[in-house]
Amino acid sequence: MLLAEEVQHFVRSPDWTWFILFYFFFAGISGGAYAIAALFRLRGEPSDEHAARLGHYVSFAALLPCPVMLVLDLGSPLRFWHMMWNTTPGEAGFNFKYWSPMSVGVWALLVFGAFATVSFIQALVRDGRIRLSLVRRPVKLLDGVLGELVVAIGAVFGLFVAGYTGVLLSVSNQPVWSDTWALGGLFLASGMTASAALLLLLLRHRRSAEPSAAKLIVSERLYALLELALIVIFLLTLIPADAVGTVFGFPWILLWLVVFAGLLPGVGGLLASRLAVTGEGVPVPLQSASAVRSLAMPALVLLGVLALRAAVIFSIQ
Amino acid sequence: MARITPGQAYGFFTDTSVCIGCKACEVACKEWNELPGNEPVFGDGYDNTGSLDAQNWRHVQFIDNVPDETSGTGQGKAWLMMSDVCKHCQHASCMEVCPTGAIIRTEFDSVFIQPDVCNGCRNCIAACPYDVIAQDEHKGVAQKCTLCYDRLQGDMEPACAKACPTESIQFGPVEELQRAARQRVSDLHDQGVTEARLYGEDDSIYGGLNAFFLLMDEPEAYKLPNEQNAVLPRRNNVPGYLGTLGTAVLAVLGGLIALRRRREPTPATSSGTTPPDPEAGDE
Ligand code: SF4
Ligand code: SF4
């Protein structure tokens, strides 16, 4: 016989699987990389400009698969535009439901896409890869305050895109997802960690951006710490709902081990050096790390971020 | 019954105390709505339909509840049978989250998924607390009971209610059904059947269910959330976004700390050969 649980969930799972997993992953990186690039450009030194451009390239590249994943996941992909335009007879008009994160997210992704594209083109122009004056001239307008404003607003949307996916899961009646308020923050923090790690990985191919390496390393450590804190909060919020075992039990614990392994370079680095905490600190020499290390560490971090989303998405479905 | 008139709220009163588990409702529903039969499922009970889904818009639950001691006759205790269906909630979780506007409230106050508007995002499936909706694999859209929208428009009662031989499923204006249900439950209580209770006939569950039930056990025995657990998805918006906002603030602070921490030159690693900024010449 069925017994009443603390929190009852009699829902069916929506079968959001691989497409959604990778959408969440890329959305986190795209938004996170944009935010990091914005910080470099707005608050960094002149030498950080190259890292900022790299961030905008990454942000744009990670954005591209997002709409593809979302559309392919639909039962009727050709109707993806129904998200934006209501086709109900007599009710035609824009769809915007502020109380439905899926509806809000579609628009946020669209707006963020515009910012990411503009910043991408700007980076190309600044790198001298676009010489067409038709493009260069309007982009020049972004050199001053206007440009800073664009990057700042874009970063807000970027942070939203990286995090709202967790809120989307929570705004449901699913076990685990709807029992916590921490998923939005968790996805955002891990998106930031992943972005910092990916930028570090790519830094090797853009020597001009290397002066920013130490800052990226410290960022990655702090984001990893933030992510770890949110994992703990996530776990704590599941206790009243008696749902910890659902998402942290076997076999999902294996994925969580990957998640924690991915946090090791960041949190471990923080513990080892404490340089980020003291504020004075020693610079982190990039080449002290062997090629394997500087490749394997960020790759491990990225894998951990993917595993985190997989554990949250698959454990309840 | 009087003519079925638009503008009035219609629904079902499903009285599980008289259900005999004949599944006439399931069959009638499938016939009228042209829903293909699924492969039967065989669990550890007598139910081979499994659950409500895209092809099953009525599902007779068989709940094996055989007590240790023989109970009095006619109390429906050993086997609980309940013809489950979409509840056509007043505050419908499915409708709340649907991003396309595919889920509407009709002129009969029922909750209807427009098949030509739905794009198969499945957000409603994640939201419905009664496990009612599923995606049709061929059409790629979400499907559930329509309260026989097309029959109502033609002044015919839904197929399941028409077919039910014991009047376990009654169709009519919601207010009339509520009166009948309250009468029925008080009659049962008078006969000593104290376990009989109504579910969803008042506004305590999702603002009222247009398809409500008379149950012979706790709601959760029938996989129905009790009053305390009947909550809407949107409850998580504010806490979820606040958590995200707090994290965003900390993330920006973290980024600023990382940027600010020192002014010493980076050691030889950066090799000092920053390539000339191609833009420099333009400025
Ligand atoms: S029972 Fe489920 S599908 Fe039916 S109206 Fe309520 S939330 Fe929607
Ligand atoms: S699957 Fe269809 S009905 Fe359900 S939420 Fe998505 S668009 Fe709306």
Side-chain angles (χ1 to χ4, degrees):
Chain A
M1 200 182 122
L2 288 153
L3 292 173
E5 301 285 346
E6 279 283 316
V7 180
Q8 303 161 344
H9 295 285
F10 300 114
V11 292
R12 173 188 310 259
S13 90
D15 282 331
W16 291 331
T17 54
W18 295 99
F19 288 130
I20 293 305
L21 170 67
F22 282 101
Y23 166 59
F24 284 11
F25 182 67
F26 285 118
I29 290 181
S30 183
Y34 196 101
I36 292 176
L39 282 168
F40 272 135
R41 183 163 289 162
L42 298 177
R43 283 270 160 260
E45 295 163 75
S47 62
D48 290 328
E49 167 62 18
H50 289 279
R53 289 180 208 168
L54 183 63
H56 284 136
Y57 289 140
V58 168
S59 172
F60 183 76
L63 183 70
L64 292 178
C66 291
V68 180
M69 298 288 133
L70 282 182
V71 168
L72 287 180
D73 182 68
L74 295 177
S76 303
L78 292 178
R79 292 189 190 161
F80 71 93
W81 56 279
H82 287 199
M83 294 273 185
M84 287 166 253
W85 187 258
N86 194 341
T87 58
T88 304
E91 304 269 324
F94 287 109
N95 270 324
F96 179 76
K97 288 165 121 178
Y98 67 84
W99 59 93
S100 171
M102 191 180 279
S103 178
V104 178
V106 165
W107 291 105
L109 192 63
L110 199 72
V111 175
F112 174 64
F115 279 97
T117 308
V118 167
S119 297
F120 171 67
I121 294 174
Q122 186 187 20
L124 285 177
V125 168
R126 288 192 171 183
D127 272 345
R129 294 198 181 138
I130 295 185
R131 302 204 168 268
L132 224 62
S133 67
L134 197 69
V135 181
R136 292 172 65 94
R137 245 170 246 289
V139 166
K140 280 267 153 217
L141 294 176
L142 296 179
D143 280 345
V145 189
L146 183 66
E148 296 194 351
L149 202 67
V150 166
V151 173
I153 299 175
V156 172
F157 277 97
L159 290 169
F160 184 89
V161 164
Y164 90 95
T165 50
V167 186
L168 186 154
L169 295 185
S170 287
V171 178
S172 70
N173 276 314
Q174 298 288 323
V176 177
W177 297 352
S178 69
D179 295 328
T180 180
W181 49 266
L183 281 180
L186 181 57
F187 283 6
L188 172 57
S190 67
M192 299 297 291
T193 316
S195 309
L198 184 57
L199 287 175
L200 268 176
L201 190 75
L202 296 175
L203 220 54
R204 299 170 52 77
H205 303 289
R206 193 180 168 106
R207 299 192 62 82
S208 57
E210 276 182 11
S212 312
K215 295 168 187 165
L216 264 180
I217 290 177
V218 177
S219 310
E220 201 247 5
R221 290 175 177 175
L222 293 176
Y223 295 146
L225 184 68
L226 186 61
E227 185 183 338
L228 182 64
L230 275 145
I231 292 176
V232 173
I233 296 176
F234 173 54
L235 192 144
L236 291 178
T237 53
L238 294 182
I239 292 176
D242 202 13
V244 177
T246 316
V247 68
F248 287 95
F250 188 81
W252 310 109
I253 189 67
L254 299 177
L255 280 179
W256 287 103
L257 289 180
V258 179
V259 175
F260 292 127
L263 287 174
L264 264 185
V267 178
L270 201 58
L271 291 178
S273 68
R274 300 213 352 219
L275 82 166
V277 199
T278 58
E280 289 313 312
V282 207
V284 185
L286 190 67
Q287 96 280 42
S288 80
S290 70
V292 179
R293 255 175 78 102
S294 58
L295 200 87
M297 289 297 195
L300 185 63
V301 175
L302 286 170
L303 199 65
V305 169
L306 192 64
L308 176 120
R309 283 158 171 71
V312 171
I313 293 176
F314 289 107
S315 62
I316 70 137
Q317 301 198 75
Chain B
M1 199 178 79
R3 281 192 69 85
I4 297 171
T5 40
Q8 196 165 7
Y10 287 90
F12 293 123
F13 166 38
T14 305
D15 178 352
T16 69
S17 70
V18 290
C19 178
I20 53 170
C22 70
K23 296 201 188 207
C25 50
E26 283 190 21
V27 175
C29 176
K30 277 188 180 294
E31 290 226 337
W32 178 263
N33 293 299
E34 298 184 323
L35 301 171
N38 287 352
E39 283 285 303
V41 292
F42 295 104
D44 53 3
Y46 283 83
D47 172 17
N48 59 7
T49 302
S51 64
L52 289 171
D53 59 31
Q55 319 302 348
N56 295 300
W57 299 353
R58 272 275 176 193
H59 165 226
V60 182
Q61 287 189 30
F62 284 63
I63 296 149
D64 180 345
N65 194 16
V66 182
D68 292 339
E69 287 167 31
T70 324
S71 61
T73 48
Q75 298 201 357
K77 271 205 109 162
W79 287 100
L80 296 182
M81 278 158 299
M82 175 232 202
S83 179
D84 199 7
V85 70
C86 167
K87 321 298 180 281
H88 299 277
C89 315
Q90 280 301 325
H91 302 155
S93 305
C94 59
M95 201 167 157
E96 186 174 277
V97 299
C98 173
T100 65
I103 306 186
I104 57 165
R105 199 167 285 286
T106 70
E107 64 271 35
F108 304 107
D109 207 34
S110 58
V111 176
F112 177 66
I113 304 179
Q114 305 171 88
D116 50 348
V117 178
C118 171
N119 67 9
C121 73
R122 315 195 287 294
N123 213 9
C124 53
I125 300 177
C128 171
Y130 295 108
D131 189 3
V132 166
I133 310 178
Q135 181 178 244
D136 181 290
E137 29 180 303
H138 307 293
K139 299 185 203 131
V141 297
Q143 291 193 159
K144 71 168 187 71
C145 160
T146 65
L147 202 75
C148 281
Y149 193 20
D150 47 355
R151 286 176 63 97
L152 298 198
Q153 286 167 328
D155 195 28
M156 287 185 285
E157 69 176 313
C160 56
K162 179 111 189 145
C164 177
T166 63
E167 289 186 11
S168 173
I169 301 174
Q170 297 170 35
F171 171 82
V174 173
E175 282 178 14
E176 273 177 35
L177 294 176
Q178 286 168 340
R179 270 199 300 278
R182 286 174 194 140
Q183 183 61 50
R184 169 72 179 154
V185 87
S186 85
D187 288 350
L188 282 172
H189 286 176
D190 289 347
Q191 292 165 17
V193 187
T194 50
E195 63 272 32
R197 74 203 73 194
L198 295 177
Y199 179 84
E201 113 287 2
D202 59 13
D203 59 9
S204 60
I205 307 275
Y206 291 116
L209 307 179
N210 282 6
F212 60 91
F213 298 83
L214 185 151
L215 306 177
M216 301 298 284
D217 200 343
E218 303 273 325
E220 40 278 32
Y222 299 89
K223 297 195 195 172
L224 304 169
N226 60 25
E227 215 171 292
Q228 190 193 344
N229 284 290
V231 282
L232 287 163
R234 70 188 298 169
R235 73 189 181 280
N236 286 326
N237 264 315
V238 172
Y241 282 127
L242 280 182
T244 314
L245 180 67
T247 310
V249 169
L250 289 175
V252 170
L253 281 179
L256 291 177
I257 292 173
L259 283 176
R260 202 207 48 152
R261 43 171 280 281
R262 78 202 143 72
R263 295 270 152 205
E264 314 155 39
T266 341
T269 70
S270 47
S271 66
T273 53
T274 311
D277 188 338
E279 202 184 41
D282 304 333
E283 280 165 295

